[in-house]
Amino acid sequence: MADYKAPLRDMRFVLNEVFEVSKLWAELPALAEVVDEDTANAILEEAGKVTAGIIAPLNRSGDEEGCTWTNGAVKTPDGFPAAYKTYAEGGWVGVGGDPVFGGMGMPKVISAQVEEMVNSANLSFGLYPMLTAGACLSINAHASEELKEKYLPNMYAGTWAGSMCLTEPHAGTDLGIIRTKAEPQADGSYKVSGTKIFITGGEHDLTENIIHLVLAKLPDAPAGPKGISLFLVPKFMVNADGSLGEANSLSCGSIEHKMGIKGSATCVMNFDGATGYIIDAPNRGLAAMFTMMNYERLGVGIQGLSTGERSYQSAIEYARERIQSRAPTGPVATDKAADPIIVHPDVRRMLLTMKSLNEGGRAFSSYVAMQLDTAKFSEDPTTRKRAEELVALLTPVAKAFLTDAGLETTIHGQQIFGGHGFIREWGQEQLVRDCRITQIYEGTNGIQALDLVGRKVIGSGGAFYKHFADEIKAFTDSADASLAEFVEPLKGAISILEQMTADLLERAKSNPNEIGAASVEYLHAFGYTAYAYMWALMARTALSKQGEDDFYVSKLGTARFYFARVLPRIHSLSASVKAGSESLYLLDAEQF
Ligand SMILES: Cc1cc2nc3c(=O)[nH]c(=O)nc-3n(C[C@H](O)[C@H](O)[C@H](O)COP(=O)(O)OP(=O)(O)OC[C@H]3O[C@@H](n4cnc5c(N)ncnc54)[C@H](O)[C@@H]3O)c2cc1C
C-alpha cells in the first residue's frame, strides 16, 4: 500500500479557493475570533503529519491483530494506546470542541478535514475520537452545567472517551422498542439496567475512563420513540474533586468478530443498575441524540470518502507502475515489455470515477459542514433557519451517498490491482472490508434515503429541497458562457430531480409505499446532482486559474469526466423512480 499523504492541496483548494470559507468565518463573530485562513492551513498541515506519521502505520497491523477481550477487559491493537495519547495530547480529540471546556473551537468545516485524514489513515482508530466528540456534542448541548463541567474537559482532552449506547439485540433501526430501563433514585441519579449491543468503543484500554451515553426508558415512559430518555453513565464514578472513584455497575460481556474495522472494539455492554445522570428532560432522549446525529452522520459519510481516498492513492501509484499489455493505440513504454496499465481505457475509467467521486465528495462534505457552521454560529435568525433546513435535507445524502460512493471507489481501487487487490499484501482488500460498515451503522443507507424522501422532502412539502434547488438555479443563471459545458448538464440534472420530486410528492398522497420504493434511487440522483453542482463550482475556479499549474488542468479534466461519464447515471435512476412501487409487490412473502 502507498504511504498515506493527506490531500492538503485539494483541501485548501476547496476551502480557500472554491468556497472562500474565511469570508464566512469573518461574518460569524464566534468563529472570527478563533480561525482565519492561515490558522486553518497550519492546523490541517499539522493534522496531515500526525495522521500520516503516527496513525497510518498502525492500519495494517491493527487489522491483523484486532481487539481482544479477556474477562471483561478489551485490549486494542499494539500501538493504539500510545498513538491515541499522542493524538489526544495534540488536542485533536477536542478540535471542534467548546473552548469554554478546553476544546479548540474549530468550525466543523475544519474538523471535517481532520476526520477525513484520521479515517483515511486508519478507520478503526478514527472511530474512538469520533465517538468521543459525538458524545461531547450531546452533553454540551443538553446536559446540566454541573455535568458539563465535570465531564467535558477530560473528554475534550482525550483522557476520557465516550460511547453511544443505542442498539439492543431486538432494536436497531426501531429504537422506539428498546427495553433498557432507568429507575429514578432519591438523590436525583438513576439506576440504568439493560443490554446494549454493537457499541463502538464500549470498552478499551485507550483512556482512564469511558463516558457512556445510554438510551433508556423511565418506568412511566410512553410507548415508542417519545418515551426514550438519555443518560450519562460513567465507567468509573467521578468524585466531587474530579478524581476517579469506584467502578460503576456495568461490564463488557464480549466483543464482536467482524468483517472489517477490526481495530475498533464493537462491544456488548451490560448495565446492571449502573448509576446514571439524565441529559435533558425525561423522554427527550432521541431529540438530544439528534443534536449529535447531524454531525456524526456527516462524519460517517466522510469515512466513506476517507477509504476511497486511501484506495485511490494506492491505485494511482500502482497503475503508473504495473506494466501489462500494450496500449490499444500502440506501444507507449517502448523500452519495456509492456505498457503501464494506466494507458488502458478501462483502468482510466476506474481511476477517474474514483477521483471524481472523491473530490466531489470532499467538496460536498465541506459544503454541508459550512451549513452546519452557519446554523450553529450565525446571529441572523433567517440565515440560521435556512442553514438548519439545508443541513436537515443534506445530512442523509451526505451519510448515504458518500458511503455508497466510498464502497464503489474502494472496489474500483481493488479491481485496478487485479488479483493483487484480493490478497492482503497491498491493503486494498482491507479498505473494501473497512468501508462496508459505513453503509450500515449510524442508520442504514436505506433508512437515510427514507429520511430524505419521507421527512425532509415530502415532510417539508418540498420547502427544504427548494432552498438547494434555488441556490443551484441562481448559480446557473449567473454563470457566464465559458461555463456552459458544465452549467447545461447541471441544469438538465436539476430539472430531472425537480420532476422526480414533484412526481413523488404527488404519488405519495395516494400510496405510502411510493416513498420507500423510490427513496434509494432518489437519494442517488440527488447525490449525483449535488456533486454536479460541486464540480461546476470547482470547474469555475479551475478555469479562472488555468495555466497556473497542473493541479487546475487535472481539476478541469476530472470535471469533464464527471459530467460526461458519471452524471448521466441519473437517467437510469430517474427511470427506476418513475416505475414506482407496483413491481415490488407482485410476490407475496412465500413466493420469493
Ligand atoms: C461495527 C458496528 C458498530 C456499531 N456501533 C454502534 C454504536 O456505537 N452504538 C450503537 O448504538 N449502535 C451501533 N451499531 C449498530 C448499528 O447502528 C445498527 O446495526 C444499525 O442501525 C441497523 O440496525 P440493525 O442491525 O438492528 O438492523 P435492522 O434494524 O434489523 O434492519 C435490518 C434491515 O432492514 C431494513 N429496515 C429496517 N427498518 C426499515 C424500514 N422502516 N424501512 C425500510 N427498511 C428497513 C434496514 O435498512 C436493514 O437493511 C453498530 C453496528 C456495527 C455492526
Side-chain angles (χ1 to χ4, degrees):
M1 172 174 274
D3 286 343
Y4 173 64
K5 287 191 201 70
L8 295 173
R9 177 71 181 91
D10 200 47
M11 287 175 174
R12 284 198 300 267
F13 170 73
V14 169
L15 300 189
N16 304 336
E17 299 175 53
V18 178
F19 292 129
E20 299 181 304
V21 68
S22 55
K23 287 187 183 161
L24 172 69
W25 296 336
E27 282 167 17
L28 306 173
L31 292 181
E33 285 168 23
V34 291
V35 64
D36 58 19
E37 193 174 312
D38 289 343
T39 320
N41 289 344
I43 288 176
L44 296 184
E45 199 155 314
E46 194 51 36
K49 283 185 200 151
V50 173
T51 50
I54 294 170
I55 296 164
L58 301 173
N59 191 42
R60 170 92 179 267
S61 57
D63 179 58
E64 286 178 349
E65 185 186 340
C67 293
T68 44
W69 178 95
T70 315
N71 297 328
V74 172
K75 181 188 170 304
T76 57
D78 284 349
F80 271 42
Y84 195 84
K85 193 161 181 287
T86 308
Y87 192 75
E89 283 170 359
W92 299 109
V93 179
V95 68
D98 187 342
V100 173
F101 301 105
M104 223 192 270
M106 284 300 120
K108 181 66 193 173
V109 74
I110 295 300
S111 59
Q113 316 303 318
V114 177
E115 278 169 19
E116 186 199 315
M117 294 185 223
V118 69
N119 290 318
S120 275
N122 189 331
L123 181 50
S124 292
F125 182 96
L127 280 160
Y128 296 104
M130 181 171 161
L131 264 294
T132 303
C136 288
L137 267 169
S138 289
I139 295 171
N140 199 24
H142 299 282
S144 64
E145 283 307 309
E146 191 191 341
L147 287 179
K148 287 191 215 176
E149 280 163 21
K150 198 164 185 179
Y151 291 93
L152 285 178
N154 281 312
M155 293 177 80
Y156 286 140
T159 44
W160 298 352
S163 90
M164 312 293 306
C165 303
L166 290 68
T167 307
E168 298 183 6
H170 68 291
T173 301
D174 186 359
L175 292 170
I177 56 173
I178 59 168
R179 294 186 189 132
T180 299
K181 292 264 172 254
E183 296 279 346
Q185 305 297 299
D187 64 358
S189 70
Y190 292 80
K191 292 277 178 223
V192 177
S193 303
T195 297
K196 297 285 179 180
I197 63 164
F198 296 164
I199 304 309
T200 301
E203 174 58 27
H204 54 72
D205 55 0
L206 302 179
T207 55
E208 295 164 7
N209 202 0
I210 303 175
I211 312 304
H212 305 285
L213 295 196
V214 185
L215 288 182
K217 293 203 155 191
L218 294 167
D220 56 352
K226 293 200 170 125
I228 299 175
S229 304
L230 181 62
F231 299 87
L232 183 157
V233 185
K235 173 179 168 185
F236 290 105
M237 302 307 294
V238 179
N239 298 320
D241 64 0
S243 60
L244 294 186
E246 62 188 19
N248 205 349
S249 305
L250 60 95
S251 59
C252 172
S254 61
I255 56 173
E256 305 296 342
H257 301 282
K258 51 197 195 293
M259 173 179 178
I261 55 163
K262 296 187 182 212
S264 167
T266 307
C267 306
V268 172
M269 296 302 300
N270 299 314
F271 296 89
D272 302 308
T275 300
Y277 308 96
I278 197 159
I279 292 180
D280 211 323
N283 304 325
R284 296 270 310 146
L286 271 191
M289 274 281 174
F290 270 113
T291 301
M292 151 273 195
M293 275 183 182
N294 281 339
Y295 281 82
E296 205 90 321
R297 286 185 171 161
L298 176 60
V300 173
I302 288 171
Q303 293 174 359
L305 163 63
S306 300
T307 51
E309 169 65 29
R310 187 83 199 265
S311 182
Y312 177 74
Q313 291 190 11
S314 293
I316 184 66
E317 194 175 291
Y318 192 78
R320 287 189 185 120
E321 283 169 10
R322 171 77 173 171
I323 58 165
Q324 211 69 197
S325 317
R326 287 296 183 191
T329 48
V332 173
T334 45
D335 57 329
K336 300 210 170 91
D339 286 334
I341 59 172
I342 198 166
V343 301
H344 301 303
D346 186 50
V347 173
R348 288 182 156 250
R349 175 188 65 82
M350 291 189 278
L351 284 169
L352 279 161
T353 302
M354 295 177 84
K355 183 164 153 57
S356 65
L357 289 175
N358 287 344
E359 292 174 15
R362 184 169 297 117
F364 182 61
S365 55
S366 302
Y367 174 86
V368 178
M370 284 170 63
Q371 304 307 325
L372 275 165
D373 288 332
T374 308
K376 186 168 171 187
F377 296 111
S378 174
E379 294 186 340
D380 172 40
T382 315
T383 309
R384 220 169 38 232
K385 181 167 180 286
R386 179 183 178 276
E388 277 163 7
E389 293 179 354
L390 269 176
V391 164
L393 177 78
L394 300 179
T395 297
V397 183
K399 193 279 175 179
F401 194 68
L402 267 91
T403 56
D404 285 350
L407 189 72
E408 181 182 342
T409 50
T410 52
I411 287 176
H412 287 316
Q414 180 182 39
Q415 191 77 8
I416 287 166
F417 277 70
H420 300 274
F422 193 72
I423 62 169
R424 271 215 163 162
E425 187 183 348
W426 293 87
Q428 295 299 76
E429 59 85 39
Q430 184 194 339
L431 293 171
V432 174
R433 287 188 285 106
D434 282 356
C435 180
R436 186 66 182 87
I437 185 62
T438 64
Q439 300 175 298
I440 298 171
Y441 59 21
E442 200 62 36
T444 63
N445 285 2
I447 296 301
Q448 302 300 325
L450 273 182
D451 180 42
L452 171 70
V453 177
R455 291 179 49 202
K456 309 298 170 54
V457 175
I458 293 176
S460 75
F464 294 3
Y465 167 81
K466 198 170 174 309
H467 292 315
F468 194 56
D470 285 352
E471 181 177 318
I472 297 179
K473 279 186 207 148
F475 166 75
T476 55
D477 288 349
S478 66
D480 67 41
S482 65
L483 280 174
E485 62 176 307
F486 308 109
V487 163
E488 290 310 315
L490 176 57
K491 276 186 188 163
I494 199 82
S495 103
I496 289 174
L497 194 59
E498 209 133 82
Q499 192 58 53
M500 281 165 70
T501 309
D503 285 355
L504 258 180
L505 281 165
E506 193 50 43
R507 290 209 309 262
K509 285 183 197 156
S510 54
N511 181 358
N513 273 337
E514 290 295 319
I515 297 174
S519 50
V520 167
E521 280 102 343
Y522 179 91
L523 183 143
H524 281 177
F526 197 120
Y528 287 119
T529 306
Y531 278 29
Y533 177 38
M534 298 297 116
W535 271 113
L537 291 172
M538 290 193 280
R540 179 176 64 177
T541 307
L543 265 177
S544 71
K545 303 197 172 190
Q546 222 176 352
E548 280 185 28
D549 71 44
D550 268 359
F551 178 85
Y552 300 108
V553 178
S554 170
K555 261 299 164 207
L556 272 176
T558 312
R560 289 182 174 125
F561 172 85
Y562 183 81
F563 281 95
R565 299 288 305 244
V566 182
L567 183 61
R569 292 180 186 184
I570 58 171
H571 295 291
S572 99
L573 291 166
S574 153
S576 296
V577 169
K578 267 200 200 113
S581 65
E582 201 190 326
S583 63
L584 293 175
Y585 287 89
L586 299 176
L587 313 185
D588 62 32
E590 287 69 38
Q591 289 169 332
F592 273 82

